Amino acid sequence: METVRLARHGEIAIATIDNPPVNALGQALRADLARVIADVGSDPAVAAIVIAAVGRAFIAGADISEFGKPPVAPLLPDLLDAIENCPKPVVAAIQGVALGGGLELALACHGRVGSASASFGQPEIKLGLIPGAGGTQRLPRLIGAAQAFPMMLSGEPIPASRALQLGLVDDVADGDVVAAAMALARALAARGAPEPVRDMTARLTAADREAFEAQALAATKTSGEMPDAMALIEAVRGVFTLPFTEGLAAERALFVKLVADPRSRALRHVFFAEREIARVPGIGADVKPRAIAKAAVIGAGTMGGGIAMCFANAGIPVTLIEQEQAQIDNGMNRVAAIYEMSVTRGSLSPEKRDERLALITPALGLDAAADADVVIEAAFEEMGVKQQIFGALDAIAKPGAILASNTSYLDIPTIAAATKRPQDVLGMHFFSPANVMKLLEVVRPDGVSDEAVVTAMALGRRLGKVPVVVGNGFGFVGNRMLEARTRATERLLVAGALPHEVDAALTGFGFKMGPCAMADLAGNDIGWRSRKARGKTAAVADAICEAGWFGQKTGRGYFLYPDGARSGLRDPEVEALIARISEEQGANRRSFKSDEILSRLLDPMVNEGARILEEGIAVRPGDIDVIWLNGYNWPAWRGGPMHWADSVGLDILVARLEAQAAEMGDATLEPAPLLRRLAAEGKGFADLKATTI
Ligand code: T1G
């Protein structure tokens, strides 16, 4: 057997799972375990069986990569059935995490012992699924539905101490969990046939049912009828209304249906895409990151302060540098205020606040960056300013220090050219607010060393970010595609749609906010300044700014925000202004249905994503999805722009883009060659291999 080692300790058999990296219950492991249960279960010399594991997980669950493919025997429910019906007691010795199918396997055992650091969870809902191997039927029987349902609805794991309190485990071992499991196995063997979880009904009282139904009602209200939550309620209700076997069958039917649901396909795509980004083609595992013990941030504005907080939150001392005392005071006051808000909200203790603030050292002048292992420049978005800073840093920073710019669209090689160390200069593009948003674009210009890239990626993970390597090019990946959507918004407004209709199309798709409300939140003047700096125009957006309607900060932008309201109201003056601009441009305004608005917003983004892939600015389509999920709140259950395009069908996008290009007379809407090629070949972006950038 490849995945299970079998040993004997007297009358106890120990089956140790060793299926790296996380002991996922792939077909080979299921087959090996089935063989052990069959062989050892019928061996008269064996009194009981302990199932243990090595590595960071007891069992991380079913093998997610198998979903959507034809199932191969032995199926997990059948294996668990064999464990539960084994004539000898089976005890799970759980170190690490027991998740999904891993916890379900433990529930099919006759006893469970956890190590003190073990954790237990049914995270299936995070994949748009529900437990599919008895979890919805056994867990409520063991700990009560009112305790089991919230665990499965949140998908969050619980620690061993809580598991013991709930009766999920029989014992928590401070020392050797296998030895403790063997002791329990012996005791169960001595007691004769132990009661399997499937027969436990003591916890399923009328009060438990009542508490569960109240939770189910609340969940129906908050989960917006998401199919996975609805299926979970139906499956768990079965413990009260169906015999175990029928409840199991009902659970399985609901699970199989969810596996085929586009939402779950999208979430499983995201699961792997967010792990794939760590693999940078052309950089081997032998390239190690440099040590980062101290950081410096240049610029104490909103971004600089937020970036400094990222370091402090990760326990890394950071010097926050400005040119004048007033600027550094403002910066530090802003940081202190943000931490204070967290303390008020109860999400940060006063002690933690003080600890983090103590890690941020305000300073004046670039010399204060001399001892930093990484320097992140977050100064004004103007090339001259950046070149001046990097030129000065070149003479100040210690050899081997990573010099990174947080620029959101300027050319990194031009910045690097101001130094004599281009091999250590790259982009680390944080997203506002930097201390909150997960996305970090690591911009890899020609000439930067692999070690510098690997160091920036490792630092990103250490800061709790989702770091994605991107190539150098205007707007890199995220902002370049955002600009495509902004242009699409402008086209729609001139052609006849109104701001609230454009926003409703996106919020209906699952975004928290539409493009107009987002611009009002960020400040319309930011885009206005950027367009003017590049000699670009956008009639509606420019007119709104020329009227001084910068958004929430001025009480009005695309929408009205009376008395500082957070959600905007339609503004008749803006709608009249848009109508006037349409007339000036000779546009015959017409109404647009929501799904047409949606495709006119998203198709051009995907088209820009295709160009980004053609130009080698993104390594793989999944990276683009990860960028939009973590930087712009693309709804995870939609998988990201490139996954969404595949789910629609690239041939449909090509046809829509061609029609739009013709209608608008806008050649930039013509489908990108890569999009055309994939569509013609009947393929999707998912068929593309990673490219070295
Ligand atoms: N299946 C397949 N591969 C998995 C996997 C899984 N369940 N979990 C992790 N991997 C891979 C991952 O892709 C990566 O691969 C490597 O392992 C390390 O992962 C029937 C239906 C366990 C907490 O949802 O939460 O059981 O990139 O980087 O940070 O009812 O992995 O190295 O090639 O995340 O140490 C339910 C998912 C499944 C748990 C470890 N289980 N995994 O975190 O490592 S559905 C889950 C995790 C199910 C049953 C249902 C985490 C971890 P590569 P990693 P980590």
Side-chain angles (χ1 to χ4, degrees), residues 532-543:
K532 286 200 284 187
R534 292 177 288 130
K536 302 252 180 195
T537 60
V540 173
D542 292 346

Side-chain angles (χ1 to χ4, degrees), residues 21-22 24 56-57 60-65 67 76 97 99-102 104 122-124 126-127 129-135 252 255 271-272 275-276 279:
V22 293
R56 65 182 117 166
D63 184 334
I64 305 171
S65 64
F67 294 156
L76 188 54
V97 294
L99 297 175
E104 290 173 300
Q122 300 282 182
E124 289 86 345
K126 293 182 178 181
L127 297 170
L129 300 171
I130 64 170
R252 190 76 189 162
F255 168 76
F271 177 85
F272 289 112
R275 286 157 176 80
E276 198 64 24
R279 280 187 264 284

Side-chain angles (χ1 to χ4, degrees), residues 214-304:
Q215 292 164 346
L217 185 60
T220 309
K221 291 200 179 97
T222 52
S223 68
E225 303 279 315
M226 286 296 266
D228 47 9
M230 296 303 107
L232 182 63
I233 290 170
E234 188 181 338
V236 172
R237 186 169 287 134
V239 301
F240 297 104
T241 58
L242 299 170
F244 179 78
T245 316
E246 288 176 36
L248 216 50
E251 171 200 79
R252 190 76 189 162
L254 290 164
F255 168 76
V256 168
K257 192 159 172 258
L258 287 171
V259 169
D261 187 295
R263 292 173 180 81
S264 179
R265 289 180 190 281
L267 290 167
R268 296 183 328 246
H269 159 71
V270 170
F271 177 85
F272 289 112
E274 287 191 336
R275 286 157 176 80
E276 198 64 24
I277 58 176
R279 280 187 264 284
V280 183
I283 299 184
D286 57 317
V287 180
K288 300 298 176 205
R290 290 176 198 154
I292 301 286
K294 195 166 170 25
V297 174
I298 315 294
T302 310
M303 285 307 286

Side-chain angles (χ1 to χ4, degrees), residues 2-3 12 17 19 30 55 124 136 158 173 191 267 298 315 368 499 504 507 512 529 547 622 663-664 688:
E2 297 298 310
T3 63
I12 307 292
I17 297 170
N19 187 27
R30 295 196 305 270
E124 289 86 345
T136 66
I158 61 171
R191 256 186 258 155
L267 290 167
I298 315 294
T507 52
K512 291 195 182 73
R529 255 206 317 274
E663 181 194 329
M664 297 283 178
L688 285 179

